Amino acid sequence: MNTKVLKVSDEGNFTGEELEYLKEAAEILKHGGLVAFPTETVYGLGANALDEKAARKIYEAKGRPSDNPLIAHVADFEGIEPLVSRIPEMGRKLAEAFWPGPMTLVFPKSALVPLGTTGGLDTVAIRMPSDPVARMLIRLAGVPVAAPSANTSGRPSPTRAEHVYQDMEGRIEMIIDGGPVGIGVESTIVDVTEEVPVLLRPGAVTMEMLESVAGEVRVDPAILGPVSPDLKPKAPGMKYRHYAPNADLTLVEGPQDRVVSEINRLAAEKLLEGYKVGIICTDETRDSYPAGMVRSIGQRAKEETVAHNLYAVLREFDDLGAQYLFSEGFPADHLGQAIMNRLNKAAGYRIVKVWPEAEL
Ligand code: TXA
Ligand code: MG
């Protein structure tokens, strides 16, 4: 299959030519094909969410286990009702507060949504993205669009069309290139099927933001640490080692000066053994690492820059052939909760803590 790449500006004022491209993409979706497209979080790999056969193609293209359900993307509030059997009050409240935007809600599903889309679950995850390209594409397709992140299963999610091309060339009909995404980590997922909403995956709609609207919010234990075999995460995808770079990644947490010296020590050890070593640091600490391949992931003082660059840096180190990676850790509140959730998983929970004893 020849994968067509079409560029569309992400501003929302589409030219006639861009609209033609989006119509062509919508036709592919309508006819059961696959189109990758930008959203404000990461690039998605889209198919008609109501077409089980199309959903199956997504799993094939990604090499994804078929028990891992897909998120159905809609362009407006009218798109939701046919997909759900009821809208719990809390779901309505959170939707009104944060849609369109980087949040996914889990509802009880209607009979219209095939089990092939929901991984056999009787719930359906729905998101209304704010990205103008995504919204126009969904509108033109006239169907809800199932879209996981457009990476090969297990690789970091794509934040640029080039990342999608690396993973999906020859496997899908089309990639809509809307430039780099804004946020860079996947949407916050909240289950609203129970009385108290449950956070299943942290994202740019933060725990603090959810609590300001919902009051109490529970946190699924799967996002806090390694998933033990007897614990079943409510978002099936959270049990896989996602976001994994090819290299062995170790996270180092503690006060900045101690983190820097520990990373330098660990990196020197591996460099002496002859390995290719990468260091993931921040603008603030960039000049403190004399050896290894050093990449800043963003500004510690502006965590949205860290979220924005995270996956691109992990992919760059794959391209550079890094064998060992050492990364600074981040405070796990606000957007930091999503950043640390992804870094922890990428590291397979290999964490070195260098806090002074008094602070442990
Ligand atoms: O930002 C995003 O959410 C991106 C963009 C493309 O929208 N999509 C994305 O999809 O990250 P994906 O498939 O990579 O991750 C979806 C996660 C998985 O962990 C899956 O298990 C969970 O959502 N999920 C989907 N449906 C669910 C359901 N009914 N109940 C619980 N978890 C669900
Ligand atoms: Mg994914």
Side-chain angles (χ1 to χ4, degrees), residues 187-276:
S187 62
T188 307
I189 305 181
V190 186
D191 183 342
V192 292
T193 59
E194 291 170 38
E195 202 71 26
V196 177
V198 187
L199 178 66
L200 305 187
R201 180 174 74 183
V205 171
T206 64
M207 184 70 182
E208 291 82 357
M209 290 160 75
L210 295 169
E211 282 171 337
S212 75
V213 172
E216 189 190 357
V217 177
R218 287 209 203 103
V219 176
D220 191 54
I223 74 170
L224 301 173
V227 182
S228 68
D230 49 314
L231 188 137
K232 211 169 160 220
K234 288 192 78 181
M238 300 294 278
K239 71 172 172 284
Y240 300 108
R241 189 180 163 209
H242 254 152
Y243 326 116
N246 291 334
D248 246 44
L249 168 64
T250 302
L251 272 177
V252 182
E253 292 180 19
Q256 194 165 305
D257 51 336
R258 285 190 178 219
V259 167
V260 168
S261 36
E262 180 65 5
I263 290 182
N264 276 324
R265 192 184 70 75
L266 291 166
E269 245 173 44
K270 289 297 170 199
L271 283 166
L272 274 176
E273 289 169 23
Y275 291 108
K276 282 190 168 182

Coordinates of all heavy atoms in Angstrom, one line a residue, residues 187-276:
S187 N -4.5 12.0 25.9 CA -5.6 12.6 26.7 C -5.7 12.0 28.1 O -5.4 10.8 28.3 CB -6.9 12.5 26.0 OG -7.2 11.1 25.8
T188 N -6.2 12.8 29.0 CA -6.6 12.3 30.3 C -7.8 11.4 30.1 O -8.7 11.7 29.4 CB -7.1 13.5 31.2 OG1 -6.1 14.5 31.2 CG2 -7.4 13.1 32.6
I189 N -7.8 10.2 30.8 CA -9.0 9.3 30.7 C -9.7 9.2 32.0 O -9.1 8.9 33.0 CB -8.6 7.9 30.2 CG1 -7.8 7.9 28.9 CG2 -9.9 7.0 30.0 CD1 -7.4 6.6 28.3
V190 N -11.0 9.5 32.0 CA -11.8 9.4 33.2 C -13.0 8.5 33.0 O -13.8 8.7 32.1 CB -12.3 10.8 33.6 CG1 -13.0 10.8 35.0 CG2 -11.2 11.8 33.7
D191 N -13.2 7.5 33.9 CA -14.3 6.6 33.9 C -15.4 7.3 34.7 O -15.3 7.6 35.9 CB -13.9 5.3 34.5 CG -15.0 4.3 34.5 OD1 -16.2 4.7 34.3 OD2 -14.7 3.1 34.7
V192 N -16.6 7.5 34.0 CA -17.7 8.2 34.7 C -18.9 7.2 34.8 O -20.0 7.6 35.0 CB -18.1 9.5 34.0 CG1 -17.1 10.5 34.2 CG2 -18.5 9.3 32.5
T193 N -18.6 5.9 34.8 CA -19.7 4.9 34.9 C -20.1 4.7 36.3 O -21.1 4.1 36.6 CB -19.3 3.6 34.2 OG1 -18.1 3.1 34.9 CG2 -19.0 3.7 32.7
E194 N -19.2 5.1 37.3 CA -19.5 4.9 38.7 C -19.8 6.2 39.3 O -19.5 7.3 38.7 CB -18.3 4.2 39.4 CG -18.1 2.8 39.0 CD -16.8 2.2 39.6 OE1 -16.5 2.6 40.7 OE2 -16.2 1.5 38.8
E195 N -20.3 6.2 40.5 CA -20.7 7.4 41.3 C -19.6 8.4 41.3 O -19.7 9.6 40.9 CB -21.1 7.0 42.7 CG -22.0 8.0 43.4 CD -23.4 8.1 42.8 OE1 -23.9 7.1 42.2 OE2 -24.0 9.2 42.9
V196 N -18.4 7.9 41.8 CA -17.2 8.8 41.9 C -16.3 8.6 40.6 O -16.0 7.4 40.3 CB -16.4 8.5 43.1 CG1 -15.1 9.3 43.2 CG2 -17.3 8.7 44.4
P197 N -16.0 9.6 39.9 CA -15.2 9.4 38.7 C -13.8 8.9 39.0 O -13.3 9.2 40.1 CB -15.1 10.8 38.1 CG -15.5 11.8 39.1 CD -16.4 11.0 40.1
V198 N -13.3 8.0 38.1 CA -12.0 7.4 38.3 C -11.0 7.8 37.2 O -11.3 7.7 36.1 CB -12.1 5.9 38.4 CG1 -10.8 5.2 38.8 CG2 -13.2 5.4 39.3
L199 N -9.9 8.4 37.6 CA -8.8 8.7 36.7 C -8.1 7.5 36.2 O -7.5 6.8 37.1 CB -7.8 9.7 37.3 CG -6.6 10.2 36.5 CD1 -7.1 11.0 35.3 CD2 -5.6 10.9 37.3
L200 N -8.2 7.2 34.9 CA -7.5 5.9 34.4 C -6.2 6.2 33.8 O -5.3 5.4 33.7 CB -8.4 5.3 33.4 CG -9.9 4.9 33.8 CD1 -10.5 4.1 32.7 CD2 -9.9 4.1 35.1
R201 N -6.0 7.5 33.2 CA -4.7 7.8 32.6 C -4.6 9.4 32.8 O -5.5 10.1 32.4 CB -4.7 7.5 31.2 CG -3.4 7.8 30.4 CD -3.4 7.3 29.0 NE -4.2 8.1 28.1 CZ -4.4 7.8 26.8 NH1 -3.8 6.8 26.3 NH2 -5.2 8.6 26.1
P202 N -3.5 9.8 33.4 CA -3.3 11.3 33.6 C -2.9 12.0 32.3 O -2.3 11.4 31.4 CB -2.2 11.4 34.6 CG -1.4 10.1 34.5 CD -2.4 9.1 34.0
G203 N -3.4 13.2 32.1 CA -3.0 14.0 30.9 C -3.1 15.4 31.2 O -3.0 15.9 32.3
A204 N -3.3 16.2 30.1 CA -3.2 17.7 30.2 C -4.5 18.3 31.0 O -4.4 19.4 31.5 CB -3.1 18.3 28.9
V205 N -5.6 17.6 31.0 CA -6.6 17.9 32.0 C -6.2 17.3 33.3 O -6.3 16.1 33.4 CB -8.0 17.5 31.5 CG1 -9.1 17.7 32.6 CG2 -8.4 18.2 30.2
T206 N -5.7 18.0 34.2 CA -5.0 17.5 35.4 C -5.9 17.0 36.4 O -7.1 17.4 36.5 CB -4.0 18.5 36.0 OG1 -4.8 19.6 36.5 CG2 -3.0 19.0 34.9
M207 N -5.4 16.2 37.4 CA -6.2 15.8 38.5 C -6.8 17.0 39.3 O -7.9 17.0 39.7 CB -5.2 15.0 39.4 CG -5.8 14.4 40.7 SD -6.8 13.0 40.2 CE -7.4 12.6 41.8
E208 N -6.0 18.1 39.4 CA -6.4 19.3 40.1 C -7.6 19.9 39.3 O -8.5 20.4 40.0 CB -5.2 20.3 40.2 CG -4.1 19.9 41.2 CD -3.1 18.9 40.5 OE1 -3.3 18.5 39.4 OE2 -2.1 18.5 41.2
M209 N -7.5 19.9 38.0 CA -8.6 20.5 37.2 C -9.9 19.6 37.3 O -11.0 20.2 37.5 CB -8.2 20.6 35.7 CG -7.1 21.6 35.5 SD -6.2 21.3 33.9 CE -7.5 21.9 32.7
L210 N -9.7 18.3 37.3 CA -10.9 17.4 37.5 C -11.5 17.6 38.8 O -12.8 17.7 38.9 CB -10.5 16.0 37.3 CG -9.9 15.5 36.0 CD1 -9.3 14.1 36.0 CD2 -11.0 15.5 34.9
E211 N -10.7 17.7 39.9 CA -11.3 17.9 41.2 C -12.0 19.2 41.4 O -13.0 19.3 42.1 CB -10.2 17.8 42.3 CG -9.7 16.3 42.5 CD -8.5 16.2 43.4 OE1 -7.7 17.1 43.4 OE2 -8.3 15.1 44.0
S212 N -11.5 20.2 40.6 CA -12.2 21.5 40.8 C -13.6 21.4 40.2 O -14.5 22.2 40.6 CB -11.4 22.6 40.1 OG -11.6 22.5 38.7
V213 N -13.9 20.5 39.3 CA -15.3 20.4 38.8 C -16.0 19.2 39.5 O -17.2 19.4 39.8 CB -15.2 20.1 37.3 CG1 -16.6 19.7 36.7 CG2 -14.6 21.3 36.5
A214 N -15.3 18.1 39.7 CA -16.0 16.9 40.2 C -16.0 16.8 41.7 O -16.8 15.9 42.3 CB -15.4 15.7 39.6
G215 N -15.2 17.5 42.4 CA -15.0 17.3 43.8 C -14.1 16.1 44.0 O -12.9 16.1 43.6
E216 N -14.7 14.9 44.5 CA -13.8 13.8 44.7 C -13.5 13.0 43.3 O -14.4 12.8 42.5 CB -14.5 12.8 45.6 CG -13.7 11.7 46.1 CD -14.4 10.6 46.8 OE1 -15.7 10.7 47.1 OE2 -13.8 9.6 47.2
V217 N -12.3 12.7 43.2 CA -11.9 11.9 42.0 C -11.0 10.8 42.5 O -10.0 11.0 43.3 CB -11.1 12.7 41.0 CG1 -10.6 11.8 39.8 CG2 -11.9 13.9 40.4
R218 N -11.3 9.5 42.1 CA -10.4 8.4 42.5 C -9.3 8.2 41.5 O -9.5 8.6 40.3 CB -11.2 7.1 42.7 CG -12.1 7.1 43.9 CD -12.3 5.6 44.4 NE -13.5 5.6 45.2 CZ -14.6 5.2 44.8 NH1 -14.7 4.6 43.6 NH2 -15.7 5.2 45.5
V219 N -8.2 7.6 41.9 CA -7.2 7.3 40.9 C -7.0 5.8 40.8 O -6.9 5.1 41.8 CB -5.8 7.9 41.5 CG1 -4.7 7.5 40.5 CG2 -6.0 9.4 41.6
D220 N -7.1 5.3 39.6 CA -6.9 3.9 39.3 C -5.4 3.5 39.7 O -4.5 4.2 39.3 CB -7.1 3.5 37.9 CG -7.2 2.0 37.6 OD1 -8.0 1.4 38.3 OD2 -6.4 1.5 36.8
P221 N -5.2 2.5 40.6 CA -3.9 2.2 41.1 C -2.9 1.9 40.0 O -1.7 2.1 40.2 CB -4.1 0.9 41.9 CG -5.6 0.7 42.1 CD -6.3 1.6 41.1
A222 N -3.4 1.5 38.8 CA -2.5 1.2 37.7 C -1.7 2.4 37.2 O -0.6 2.2 36.6 CB -3.3 0.6 36.5
I223 N -2.1 3.6 37.5 CA -1.3 4.7 37.0 C -0.2 5.1 38.0 O 0.6 5.9 37.7 CB -2.2 6.0 36.7 CG1 -2.7 6.7 37.9 CG2 -3.3 5.6 35.8 CD1 -3.3 8.0 37.6
L224 N -0.3 4.5 39.2 CA 0.7 5.0 40.2 C 2.0 4.1 40.2 O 3.0 4.6 40.6 CB 0.0 4.8 41.6 CG -1.2 5.7 41.8 CD1 -1.9 5.4 43.1 CD2 -0.9 7.2 41.7
G225 N 1.9 2.9 39.8 CA 3.1 2.1 39.9 C 3.0 0.9 39.0 O 2.1 0.8 38.2
P226 N 4.0 0.0 39.1 CA 3.9 -1.2 38.2 C 2.6 -2.0 38.5 O 2.1 -2.1 39.6 CB 5.1 -2.1 38.7 CG 5.8 -1.2 39.7 CD 5.0 -0.1 40.1
V227 N 2.1 -2.6 37.4 CA 0.8 -3.3 37.6 C 1.2 -4.8 37.9 O 1.8 -5.5 37.1 CB 0.0 -3.3 36.2 CG1 -1.3 -4.0 36.4 CG2 -0.2 -1.8 35.8
S228 N 0.7 -5.2 39.1 CA 1.0 -6.6 39.5 C 0.0 -7.5 38.7 O -1.0 -7.1 38.2 CB 0.7 -6.8 41.0 OG -0.6 -6.7 41.3
P229 N 0.4 -8.8 38.5 CA -0.4 -9.6 37.6 C -1.8 -9.8 38.1 O -2.7 -10.0 37.2 CB 0.4 -11.0 37.6 CG 1.7 -10.7 38.2 CD 1.6 -9.4 39.0
D230 N -2.1 -9.7 39.4 CA -3.4 -9.9 39.9 C -4.2 -8.6 39.9 O -5.4 -8.6 40.2 CB -3.4 -10.5 41.3 CG -2.4 -9.8 42.2 OD1 -1.3 -9.5 41.7 OD2 -2.8 -9.5 43.3
L231 N -3.6 -7.5 39.5 CA -4.4 -6.2 39.5 C -4.7 -5.9 38.0 O -3.9 -5.9 37.2 CB -3.5 -5.1 40.1 CG -4.2 -3.8 40.3 CD1 -3.7 -3.2 41.6 CD2 -3.8 -2.8 39.2
K232 N -6.0 -5.7 37.8 CA -6.5 -5.5 36.5 C -6.8 -4.0 36.3 O -7.7 -3.5 36.8 CB -7.8 -6.3 36.2 CG -7.9 -6.7 34.8 CD -9.0 -7.8 34.7 CE -9.5 -7.8 33.2 NZ -10.9 -8.0 33.1
P233 N -5.9 -3.3 35.5 CA -6.2 -1.8 35.3 C -7.5 -1.7 34.6 O -7.8 -2.5 33.7 CB -5.0 -1.3 34.5 CG -4.4 -2.5 33.9 CD -4.8 -3.7 34.8
K234 N -8.2 -0.6 34.9 CA -9.5 -0.4 34.2 C -9.3 0.1 32.8 O -10.2 -0.2 32.0 CB -10.4 0.6 35.0 CG -10.9 0.0 36.3 CD -11.9 0.9 36.9 CE -13.2 0.7 36.3 NZ -14.3 1.6 36.9
A235 N -8.2 0.7 32.5 CA -7.9 1.0 31.1 C -7.0 -0.1 30.6 O -5.8 -0.1 31.0 CB -7.2 2.3 30.9
P236 N -7.4 -1.1 29.9 CA -6.6 -2.3 29.5 C -5.2 -1.9 29.0 O -4.3 -2.6 29.3 CB -7.5 -3.0 28.5 CG -8.9 -2.6 28.8 CD -8.8 -1.2 29.3
G237 N -5.1 -0.8 28.3 CA -3.9 -0.4 27.7 C -2.8 -0.1 28.8 O -1.6 -0.2 28.5
M238 N -3.2 0.2 30.0 CA -2.2 0.6 31.0 C -1.4 -0.6 31.5 O -0.4 -0.4 32.2 CB -2.9 1.3 32.2 CG -3.7 2.6 31.8 SD -2.6 3.9 31.3 CE -2.1 4.6 32.9
K239 N -1.8 -1.8 31.1 CA -1.0 -2.9 31.6 C 0.2 -3.2 30.7 O 1.1 -3.9 31.1 CB -1.8 -4.2 31.8 CG -2.3 -4.8 30.5 CD -3.0 -6.2 30.9 CE -3.7 -6.8 29.7 NZ -5.0 -6.1 29.3
Y240 N 0.2 -2.7 29.5 CA 1.3 -2.9 28.6 C 2.5 -2.0 28.9 O 2.3 -0.9 29.3 CB 0.9 -2.8 27.2 CG -0.2 -3.8 26.8 CD1 -1.5 -3.3 26.7 CD2 0.1 -5.1 26.8 CE1 -2.5 -4.3 26.4 CE2 -0.9 -6.0 26.5 CZ -2.2 -5.6 26.3 OH -3.2 -6.5 26.1
R241 N 3.7 -2.4 28.5 CA 4.8 -1.5 28.7 C 4.8 -0.6 27.5 O 5.4 -0.8 26.5 CB 6.2 -2.2 28.8 CG 7.3 -1.3 29.1 CD 8.6 -1.9 29.3 NE 9.6 -0.8 29.2 CZ 10.8 -1.0 28.8 NH1 11.2 -2.1 28.4 NH2 11.6 0.1 28.7
H242 N 4.1 0.5 27.6 CA 3.9 1.5 26.6 C 5.1 2.4 26.5 O 6.0 2.3 27.3 CB 2.8 2.4 27.1 CG 1.5 2.2 26.4 ND1 0.3 2.5 26.9 CD2 1.2 1.8 25.1 CE1 -0.6 2.2 26.1 NE2 -0.1 1.8 25.0
Y243 N 5.1 3.2 25.5 CA 6.0 4.3 25.4 C 7.5 3.9 25.6 O 8.3 4.6 26.1 CB 5.7 5.4 26.5 CG 4.3 5.5 26.9 CD1 3.8 5.2 28.1 CD2 3.4 6.0 25.9 CE1 2.5 5.3 28.4 CE2 2.0 6.1 26.2 CZ 1.6 5.8 27.5 OH 0.3 5.9 27.8
A244 N 7.8 2.7 25.1 CA 9.1 2.2 25.4 C 10.1 2.6 24.4 O 9.9 2.3 23.2 CB 9.1 0.7 25.6
P245 N 11.2 3.2 24.8 CA 12.3 3.4 23.9 C 13.1 2.1 23.7 O 12.9 1.2 24.5 CB 13.2 4.5 24.6 CG 12.9 4.3 26.0 CD 11.5 3.7 26.1
N246 N 13.9 2.0 22.7 CA 14.7 0.8 22.5 C 15.8 0.6 23.6 O 16.1 -0.5 24.0 CB 15.5 0.8 21.2 CG 14.5 0.7 20.0 OD1 13.4 0.1 20.2 ND2 14.8 1.2 18.9
A247 N 16.3 1.8 24.1 CA 17.3 1.7 25.2 C 16.7 1.4 26.5 O 15.5 1.5 26.7 CB 18.0 3.1 25.2
D248 N 17.6 1.0 27.4 CA 17.3 0.8 28.8 C 17.2 2.1 29.5 O 18.3 2.8 29.6 CB 18.5 0.0 29.4 CG 18.1 -1.4 29.9 OD1 17.4 -2.0 29.1 OD2 18.5 -1.7 31.0
L249 N 16.1 2.6 29.9 CA 15.9 3.9 30.5 C 15.9 3.8 32.0 O 15.2 3.0 32.6 CB 14.7 4.6 30.0 CG 14.2 5.9 30.7 CD1 15.2 7.0 30.5 CD2 12.9 6.3 30.1
T250 N 16.7 4.6 32.7 CA 16.6 4.7 34.2 C 16.3 6.2 34.6 O 16.8 7.1 34.0 CB 18.0 4.4 34.8 OG1 18.4 3.1 34.4 CG2 18.0 4.5 36.3
L251 N 15.4 6.3 35.5 CA 15.0 7.7 36.0 C 15.7 8.0 37.3 O 15.8 7.1 38.1 CB 13.5 7.7 36.3 CG 12.5 8.0 35.2 CD1 11.1 7.8 35.8 CD2 12.7 9.4 34.8
V252 N 16.2 9.2 37.4 CA 16.9 9.6 38.6 C 16.1 10.7 39.3 O 15.9 11.7 38.7 CB 18.4 9.9 38.4 CG1 19.1 10.3 39.7 CG2 19.1 8.8 37.7
E253 N 15.7 10.5 40.5 CA 14.9 11.5 41.2 C 15.6 12.0 42.5 O 16.2 11.2 43.2 CB 13.6 10.9 41.6 CG 12.7 10.5 40.5 CD 11.4 9.9 40.9 OE1 11.0 10.1 42.1 OE2 10.7 9.3 40.0
G254 N 15.4 13.3 42.8 CA 16.0 13.9 44.0 C 16.3 15.3 43.7 O 15.8 15.9 42.8
P255 N 17.1 16.0 44.7 CA 17.4 17.4 44.5 C 18.3 17.5 43.2 O 19.1 16.6 43.0 CB 18.1 17.8 45.7 CG 18.1 16.6 46.6 CD 17.6 15.4 45.9
Q256 N 18.2 18.6 42.5 CA 18.8 18.8 41.2 C 20.3 18.5 41.2 O 20.8 17.8 40.3 CB 18.6 20.2 40.7 CG 18.9 20.4 39.3 CD 18.3 21.7 38.8 OE1 17.1 22.0 38.9 NE2 19.1 22.6 38.3
D257 N 21.1 19.0 42.2 CA 22.5 18.8 42.1 C 22.9 17.3 42.3 O 23.7 16.8 41.6 CB 23.2 19.7 43.2 CG 22.6 19.5 44.6 OD1 21.4 19.1 44.7 OD2 23.3 19.7 45.6
R258 N 22.1 16.6 43.2 CA 22.4 15.2 43.4 C 22.0 14.4 42.1 O 22.7 13.4 41.8 CB 21.6 14.7 44.6 CG 22.2 15.1 45.9 CD 21.5 14.4 47.0 NE 22.0 14.7 48.3 CZ 22.2 13.9 49.3 NH1 21.9 12.6 49.1 NH2 22.7 14.3 50.4
V259 N 20.9 14.8 41.5 CA 20.5 14.1 40.3 C 21.5 14.2 39.2 O 21.9 13.2 38.6 CB 19.1 14.6 39.8 CG1 18.8 14.2 38.4 CG2 18.0 14.2 40.7
V260 N 22.0 15.4 39.0 CA 23.0 15.7 38.0 C 24.3 14.8 38.3 O 24.8 14.1 37.4 CB 23.4 17.2 37.9 CG1 24.7 17.4 37.1 CG2 22.2 18.0 37.4
S261 N 24.8 14.8 39.5 CA 26.0 14.0 39.7 C 25.7 12.5 39.6 O 26.6 11.8 39.1 CB 26.7 14.3 41.1 OG 25.8 14.6 42.1
E262 N 24.5 12.0 40.0 CA 24.3 10.6 39.9 C 24.2 10.2 38.4 O 24.7 9.1 38.0 CB 23.0 10.2 40.7 CG 22.6 8.8 40.6 CD 23.5 7.8 41.3 OE1 24.5 8.3 42.0 OE2 23.3 6.6 41.2
I263 N 23.5 11.0 37.6 CA 23.4 10.7 36.2 C 24.8 10.7 35.6 O 25.1 9.8 34.8 CB 22.4 11.7 35.5 CG1 21.0 11.4 35.9 CG2 22.5 11.5 33.9 CD1 19.9 12.3 35.3
N264 N 25.6 11.7 35.9 CA 27.0 11.7 35.4 C 27.7 10.5 35.7 O 28.5 9.9 34.9 CB 27.7 13.0 35.8 CG 27.4 14.2 34.9 OD1 27.2 14.0 33.7 ND2 27.3 15.4 35.5
R265 N 27.5 10.0 37.0 CA 28.3 8.8 37.5 C 27.8 7.6 36.7 O 28.6 6.8 36.2 CB 28.0 8.6 39.0 CG 28.9 7.6 39.6 CD 28.5 7.4 41.1 NE 27.2 6.7 41.3 CZ 27.0 5.4 41.1 NH1 28.0 4.7 40.7 NH2 25.8 4.9 41.2
L266 N 26.4 7.4 36.6 CA 25.9 6.2 35.9 C 26.2 6.2 34.4 O 26.6 5.2 33.9 CB 24.3 6.2 36.1 CG 23.8 6.0 37.5 CD1 22.3 6.3 37.5 CD2 24.0 4.5 37.9
A267 N 26.2 7.4 33.8 CA 26.5 7.5 32.4 C 28.0 7.2 32.2 O 28.3 6.5 31.2 CB 26.2 8.9 31.9
A268 N 28.9 7.7 33.0 CA 30.3 7.4 32.9 C 30.6 5.9 32.9 O 31.4 5.4 32.1 CB 31.1 8.2 33.9
E269 N 29.9 5.3 33.9 CA 30.1 3.8 34.0 C 29.8 3.1 32.7 O 30.6 2.3 32.2 CB 29.1 3.3 35.0 CG 29.6 2.7 36.3 CD 28.5 2.4 37.3 OE1 27.5 1.8 36.9 OE2 28.7 2.7 38.5
K270 N 28.6 3.4 32.1 CA 28.2 2.7 30.9 C 29.1 3.2 29.7 O 29.3 2.3 28.8 CB 26.7 3.0 30.6 CG 25.8 2.3 31.5 CD 25.9 0.8 31.4 CE 25.1 0.1 32.5 NZ 25.6 -1.3 32.7
L271 N 29.5 4.4 29.6 CA 30.4 4.9 28.6 C 31.7 4.1 28.6 O 32.2 3.7 27.6 CB 30.6 6.4 28.7 CG 29.5 7.3 28.2 CD1 29.7 8.7 28.7 CD2 29.3 7.2 26.7
L272 N 32.2 3.9 29.8 CA 33.5 3.2 30.0 C 33.3 1.7 29.5 O 34.3 1.1 28.9 CB 33.9 3.2 31.4 CG 34.7 4.4 31.9 CD1 35.0 4.3 33.4 CD2 36.1 4.4 31.1
E273 N 32.1 1.2 29.7 CA 31.9 -0.2 29.2 C 31.7 -0.2 27.7 O 31.5 -1.3 27.1 CB 30.7 -0.8 29.9 CG 30.9 -1.1 31.4 CD 29.6 -1.5 32.2 OE1 28.6 -1.9 31.5 OE2 29.6 -1.3 33.4
G274 N 31.7 0.9 27.0 CA 31.6 1.0 25.6 C 30.2 1.1 25.0 O 30.0 1.0 23.8
Y275 N 29.2 1.4 25.8 CA 27.8 1.6 25.3 C 27.6 3.0 24.8 O 28.3 3.9 25.2 CB 26.8 1.3 26.5 CG 26.8 -0.2 26.9 CD1 27.4 -0.6 28.1 CD2 26.3 -1.2 26.0 CE1 27.4 -1.9 28.5 CE2 26.3 -2.5 26.4 CZ 26.8 -2.9 27.6 OH 26.8 -4.2 27.9
K276 N 26.5 3.1 24.0 CA 26.0 4.4 23.6 C 25.1 4.9 24.6 O 24.0 4.3 24.9 CB 25.3 4.3 22.2 CG 26.2 4.1 21.0 CD 25.4 4.3 19.8 CE 26.3 4.5 18.6 NZ 25.4 4.6 17.3

